[in-house]
Amino acid sequence: MSVQTRVMIDGRWTTRTLDIHQILARNREEKQQMMDRSPAEQGRPVLGILTRTLIRSPVVKSIIPARVRHRSRNDVVFVYDDAVVIKEVLGGERIEHNPFQEISLEDVVEKKDFDSPIRAARILGLPREPKVSRFPGKFWSKENPHRSQSPSEIKPDPLHENEVPPQILVLTLASRNLLFLFAYHDVHERVHFSSNVWPLPAQAEEMQELGVHLAVDPKWVGFLFGSWRANDFRSRAMAVGAHENRVVIYTLKSMEQIRKEVQGQNGLDAKNFMPIHEENFTEVDGVILKMEFLHPSKGDEHHVILLLVISKGQGSLLVRFEWDCRAGLSMFERKPSQALAKSTRLPHLLIPLTYGTSFALVFANQITVYKDILAGNAKGQSIPLETVEPSEEPQGSNRLPIWTQWARPMRSTKRPDLEIDNIYLCRGDGVVYYIDIKESSIPMISSQCSACAVKASLSSAFATLDLGDESNDALIAAGEMGDGGMWYLKPRGPLELVGTIRNWTPLGDMTTARVNGPSSNLAGTNSQIWQRDKRLFACTGRGPRHGAVTEIRIGTEAVKLGPTIELGELADNGILDLWAMPVRSHNGIYLMISRPTETELMLLRSSIENPQETPQAASEIEELNLNERTIAAGSTAEGFLVQVTPSSINAIAQEHGILPLAWHCEEASITAASFLTIPSRTTVLLIVFRKYNDLYLHHGHFGSQGGRIVFEELGEPVRLQSEASSLALYWVENRILAFVGTLAATLQIYAANAGSSLSPYFEYSFDDPFSICDSLAVLITKIQAVGCGEVEDGQLVVCGLRNGTVRTLWFDGGNDGGSNGGNRNIFGTGRSPLSLCESLVFGSTSVKVMADSTRNSRAFAVCEQTVCTLEYLGGASPTNPAIINRLWLTDPNSQVFQQSPLTGLTQASSNVPQGCSKYAAGSLFYLTGSRLVLVAVSLSPNPEMVPRRLSLGGTPTTVLYSERFRKLIVMYNTTDVQDPGSPLRRGIGLQHRAPQPAIAFIDPDGDPTRLAQDEKDVRNVLEASCVLPGEKFLGLMEWFPTDGTEQYHMLVVNTATGQAGSQRGIGRLLFFRPVQNAVGDVTLTQKIDLDHKAEICAVAPYGDSSLVYGCGNDIFFRFLDVKHKRFKQLMKLTLRSPAVHISVQGLNIHVSTESYGHHILSVGEDKLVPLWADRTSRTGAHHLVAPEQSLIITTDLECRIAGLWQPPKPQLGRTTPLIFEAFLPRSITKLCRVRRQERRFQVNQLERQISSQTSPGNGMKEMKDENVAWEEKYLPRDYMLGTSEDGTVYQLSLLDEASWRLLAFIQNMAMREPQICPHPHPRLRDRDLEPWMARKQDMHIDGDILIRFLERGSRTLLTKMLAVRGPRTRMLLDEMLVENPTEDRSRRLRALAIEVLKDDVPKYEDTGEMVLRWLRSLLMPAI
């Protein structure tokens, strides 16, 4: 049921159709708003907030080796706070994209749609067992995942067969749900997740947090004692525990039963996927410290034993539950508790031993092994850890760190008859300890040793990997502060780092800096603006080992492999181009370098055996023409090396018995060439040559005949009307398609059947004479047919234009054979096989595009010394925009590595001919000046955090960028350890650690050698005499006081010094004058200091020469008399809580307090005057003022973001009304503002409606101007970035009422769509879809949900959501009153879109596509 009404919009009466549920929802809103607003608040704005996760936290909660995808895949599960990532361990032969590494960890699939934090994770199912290997040193490989098996064990194992994997991942979520999860492949080798949810019982108390403890019964008895029965290999029970008092116990179905319920003829049925059989819960009195299942004794396989370590009062207890698995939980029984000795009441780890019912408790310097627990009181034997050294952490404590995790090595030579438990222990400071425990031996720890010490701060994310090795182990650990890694450990051998796991936590202060150097954004046409783009720097890590200033960069990582190759004199006269080709007789690769007048051929051998080996001139190859420049080079399917010069085509066989080819052009000169290797066929060469004054296009293929390489011409040359600027070949359905870019700003297509001549197919004209196509790349994207699961290949032609633009064209003529096949000529017929997908502005100079040989849907784009990847993943629409990532070079041996300007780029083909070396296959060769770097590019299409760390040697607290010095100013704290023999500690006999502040001025793009120094004396410019004993520097600020004629530059430091018996201590304000010398070094001179009786936590400048700062609960205001160099006019105001952040906007002072929210003050004649105060007591963290909306965005330590409105006139109560409120999974500790920039000019199918009506010369320019005006009209001008200590970076933007309503309508539909939100969303309520603003939390739009909506097929999903009828309890009004919900929702979507996109929606019938374009632009990353 609906009604029509007349409303006035922009001065015109318009007819609107409203449904009854829209009217009722709007009435509820207006009633609630009238109740909330006082008469003085009637003018307050209606604003919402949009948040999205820009960078996910790198903190890994657990690392679990498990086969949750397929029994033949050696997977490792990384569990983050709100995501699960499955990675695969590869090895054996050289990794395809990394020839210097024998073990690799590659991403497979990621699941991040839980919409709730993960509390714990475990694996249930068949036990984790190593693959038996009869070949020492042979690891898992991508080509043969069974490499570690014996030949008799290798069986065909298709990934897409319908089966449940041997192991299932179980998660406990903060939403009080148990989630069971596994992955599988479909027939197209795509990975999907299958999951189901079991709700946990309601919590008696909120603080219980049911799910923080999770244990699974391992049931290894069948294997350990030789009885090989499939039914024995399963998890029989599972337990979920709270922090205290409560445990829920489940019995589980067998894996055979789960498979029967889930596996069907038509695939896997996730609806029947539920491993739980029974549920029961019990109460325990005390805090649960540890919880694990014990292994049953020999001959007692049906016995289930659950052990808990409970803390109660001043002691700890062992609490045990037992039952018979055949009888179920009806036989569940609690046994008498056993008290632990006082010295062993707080264990670090509880380790169930695999032989009998024994278990071990691990403490700082000892292990206590218990046995015979079923007999009553367990008997414990304590064994000291003899060789565990104190922490090697510089300036660390003498107290031993805690043991964080344990793991068993996965070796193929394990002997069950020995009954020995081999265990690795992991400690927080990086020490890894190895022990052997045998119950029958005396002592029960038969051997122990310190296995290794890694340079990382380790957490509970620690495990061993299965390499199918007999004696060597692979360790993997995620860092708690700083990077983690993957290490290869050989007995009595050195520890080898084979991989790095990035970590940049804890993340503290952050600043933006306009520094000359590479940018992380795509830019507009002004290259100067692009070169001075904003870069983000943040304080990360703690301590002398991990403290650093980290540059936050988002994109695709390209890891530097091996040493830098110095070309020397070869680069003196410039390098035109270079190519990399495989070598047959050597383990290496040929580099062909084209110079203006000659060519150099170099041989680069594998650097694994000799990493310092330099390339050698391949002088033995005389058959190539090295006296001319090279136009193109490559290798054929037979392994021939081919070189094309202006006068000849040369080829050599790289093996004896086959004569080379030297095909000379008679009276002609070759101007362009391109290669295409047709799989399982031959290699085709396309050339453009000039004969006399005419240009011709010709093609042929290579082969061998009579022991000689031959080049067979195909058909007759075709005459060209314009000079060719670029060439590309494509093979489809027995036809060759030749794409020719010309200097006439056109793209011509020629086609030929096998063996025939090329004939014209189509000509596409670009928009203006400067749109000359200088490079081409043909990509293949997967297109999914609407309404079915069929996937077909689609072709995209990516054109790099001379005007700095990349134009992507959809080619739909590749599969159109026609009656004449490739001889069809459609010039001038009006039919266009090319249609514009998008146009991207990269700069103002020519863009070089190059197809990625490792991924046929990705290309590299090079413009103005910057490299980006463009990946087209297709999906439901071929016009989906590209995923664009900046390519960031990193060096595993240098965290401060900064890439140099690019001068050349090439890629070694990943399709290596049989018999040739696979060395560096698929790797990039990055040329910078005279240096050549081999890099391996990440295969992930999603943007990643690629940090660059500038080590400090201390814990950073504040970072800011000085425009005057063009340097980062970093304040950090080190620790000074005073020995007992020092004069200050003489007679005390103990070491004393005292904080030692430091200040450093760092050029972020300075000398890498100097940046790599971590000694504090190298960086620190602060004299020790300026610091009091025990004083900590809390904040740093640049200040520019002026007297109206002269401006001074000062650094202001606020400090705190703790005193015995004082809760707050004392504080000082220190004033330093920085001076820079001729070489750029900065020195500090202390000028003034102000002492106070409480610590000073925040300070801000006010006006020309005043300061406002918080000292304890007091806010001070001081004016500096610059002429007489002294402070005067002291004002003070006492608040109820100390200030944590102060800022000044206009004449108002904004203060975020520790416990009582936000306050706004003004400066009176002789006092500070409170203007406004927050209605809610918030634990303030940071704030940002938006003066355009009179809004203050505040964050607190309770994970909230609040928008407070400052009314223009005073009112009763003087409180700031709440405009919106957002609850995030974590607290934002720092906010900063970034300006929206024109990153790219995108043309989709909507703009093609305009381009068809405009002239070819002006159409693109008109569309570009309209696009810029469109962004200015419909997108926010500013964004905000928020950082959390766990390394998460959020992007925030304010929304007006119309934008909020449209996004809320889409979000409400998306939260009900299982493909977007497969698990119950905590914000989902039983109400209609109409946006409702009665609660301030509803003004929050979760951008992560909208991003999933865009990534998973936005157009198809939007159509599906508009057509879905909601459940009766949730969509009652739709069911009863609306006969056609599809038409109703579509009409409502269009009405909401018109409110936002007033001038553009009426132009197009397809409202959905217009909304999606706006949504993509709105959610685009700001950095």
Side-chain angles (χ1 to χ4, degrees), residues 1 90 197 278 287 326 472 524 601 685 736 756 864 868 897 900 925 1070 1081 1181 1263 1283 1312 1328 1388 1415:
M1 180 179 177
L90 299 177
V197 172
E278 287 182 283
V287 177
R326 294 170 294 184
N472 304 324
L601 184 66
L685 174 64
I736 293 176
S756 63
E864 298 181 356
C868 294
F897 177 80
S900 303
F925 286 87
L1070 305 179
D1081 294 333
M1263 283 189 290
T1283 59
R1312 291 165 170 81
D1328 50 53
R1388 182 56 179 156
L1415 189 57

Side-chain angles (χ1 to χ4, degrees), residues 74-194:
N74 191 16
D75 289 341
V76 181
V77 179
F78 279 59
V79 180
Y80 295 85
D81 184 66
D82 52 6
V84 169
V85 179
I86 298 179
K87 300 174 182 281
E88 185 176 6
V89 182
L90 299 177
E93 297 179 359
R94 302 289 184 251
I95 305 301
E96 289 183 359
H97 65 283
N98 191 341
F100 294 82
Q101 190 171 328
E102 294 191 2
I103 307 174
S104 175
L105 201 62
E106 295 186 1
D107 289 349
V108 176
V109 66
E110 178 184 41
K111 183 176 177 63
K112 53 183 179 180
D113 53 9
F114 301 104
D115 295 318
S116 176
I118 300 172
R119 286 178 173 170
R122 284 293 180 95
I123 290 294
L124 56 87
L126 304 183
R128 176 190 170 210
E129 303 166 14
K131 290 289 184 180
V132 179
S133 174
R134 299 180 184 176
F135 309 98
K138 296 296 184 181
F139 308 143
W140 290 70
S141 66
K142 194 171 186 178
E143 295 80 7
N144 183 9
H146 307 277
R147 179 178 296 279
S148 60
Q149 294 176 292
S150 63
S152 63
E153 295 173 320
I154 298 178
K155 299 178 182 179
D157 234 358
L159 289 176
H160 59 268
E161 62 184 11
N162 295 326
E163 70 169 26
V164 177
Q167 293 172 329
I168 297 172
L169 180 67
V170 56
L171 307 172
T172 57
L173 305 179
S175 57
R176 292 197 293 273
N177 287 311
L178 271 175
L179 181 69
F180 298 92
L181 181 72
F182 68 87
Y184 64 94
H185 289 258
D186 61 13
V187 294
H188 302 289
E189 297 299 323
R190 295 173 301 185
V191 184
H192 304 273
F193 284 100
S194 181

Side-chain angles (χ1 to χ4, degrees), residues 303-316:
H303 200 171
V304 183
I305 309 163
L306 176 64
L307 180 67
L308 289 83
V309 181
I310 304 294
S311 176
K312 183 179 179 181
Q314 298 298 317
S316 295

Side-chain angles (χ1 to χ4, degrees), residues 540-765:
T540 61
R542 292 194 186 102
R545 179 182 293 175
H546 307 293
V549 173
T550 298
E551 182 176 1
I552 296 177
R553 307 183 300 186
I554 302 177
T556 298
E557 183 176 13
V559 182
K560 179 177 176 289
L561 306 176
T564 301
I565 303 170
E566 185 63 51
L567 298 180
E569 298 179 355
L570 295 179
D572 287 349
N573 296 325
I575 294 177
L576 302 179
D577 211 338
L578 69 157
W579 297 268
M581 298 168 289
V583 178
R584 184 181 294 273
S585 58
H586 304 283
N587 187 19
I589 197 166
Y590 282 121
L591 293 176
M592 185 169 288
I593 302 173
S594 177
R595 303 171 67 187
T597 58
E598 60 182 353
T599 298
E600 293 286 345
L601 184 66
M602 311 294 292
L603 174 62
L604 177 63
R605 299 179 184 273
S606 170
S607 296
I608 291 182
E609 292 79 9
N610 185 8
Q612 301 302 324
E613 185 170 354
T614 57
Q616 302 174 356
S619 57
E620 69 277 6
I621 302 179
E622 301 177 353
E623 295 83 359
L624 299 178
N625 184 4
L626 303 180
N627 296 321
E628 284 187 287
R629 68 180 179 92
T630 297
I631 296 175
S635 61
T636 68
E638 301 82 2
F640 304 154
L641 295 186
V642 180
Q643 177 202 23
V644 181
T645 68
S647 63
S648 62
I649 300 174
N650 309 283
I652 60 173
Q654 297 195 70
E655 61 184 35
H656 300 291
I658 301 180
L659 298 178
L661 166 71
W663 191 84
H664 295 280
C665 301
E666 299 179 0
E667 300 180 350
S669 174
I670 300 176
T671 60
S674 178
F675 290 93
L676 173 65
T677 298
I678 303 173
S680 305
R681 289 174 178 262
T682 184
T683 299
V684 178
L685 174 64
L686 179 70
I687 61 172
V688 174
F689 64 90
R690 182 186 299 275
K691 190 170 184 180
Y692 304 114
N693 292 325
D694 296 327
L695 291 167
Y696 295 91
L697 180 70
H698 199 19
H699 75 301
H701 69 85
F702 294 92
S704 59
Q705 185 176 358
R708 178 185 296 273
I709 302 176
V710 295
F711 176 68
E712 181 181 354
E713 301 178 56
L714 301 176
E716 297 296 328
V718 180
R719 186 173 178 179
L720 297 178
Q721 300 299 322
S722 179
E723 183 80 42
S725 56
S726 58
L727 298 176
L729 284 167
Y730 184 68
W731 171 266
V732 57
E733 294 188 355
N734 295 321
R735 281 196 303 166
I736 293 176
L737 296 176
F739 297 87
V740 182
T742 71
L743 294 181
T746 62
L747 176 63
Q748 299 178 358
I749 306 177
Y750 295 81
N753 285 331
S756 63
S757 300
L758 293 168
S759 60
Y761 185 75
F762 184 74
E763 183 177 50
Y764 177 89
S765 296

Side-chain angles (χ1 to χ4, degrees), residues 839-841 1238-1243 1260 1263-1264 1267:
S839 184
L840 310 171
V841 177
E1238 182 190 358
R1239 285 172 296 278
R1240 68 181 186 177
F1241 161 45
Q1242 177 182 329
V1243 179
M1260 189 58 63
M1263 283 189 290
K1264 181 174 179 179
N1267 185 82

Side-chain angles (χ1 to χ4, degrees), residues 124 372 451 671 807 812 815 993 1034-1035 1053 1159 1210 1340 1364 1376:
L124 56 87
D372 300 332
T671 60
R807 195 76 53 82
D812 62 359
N815 297 319
R993 295 185 303 154
L1034 303 180
V1053 177
H1159 296 261
H1340 171 217
V1364 166
M1376 296 177 57

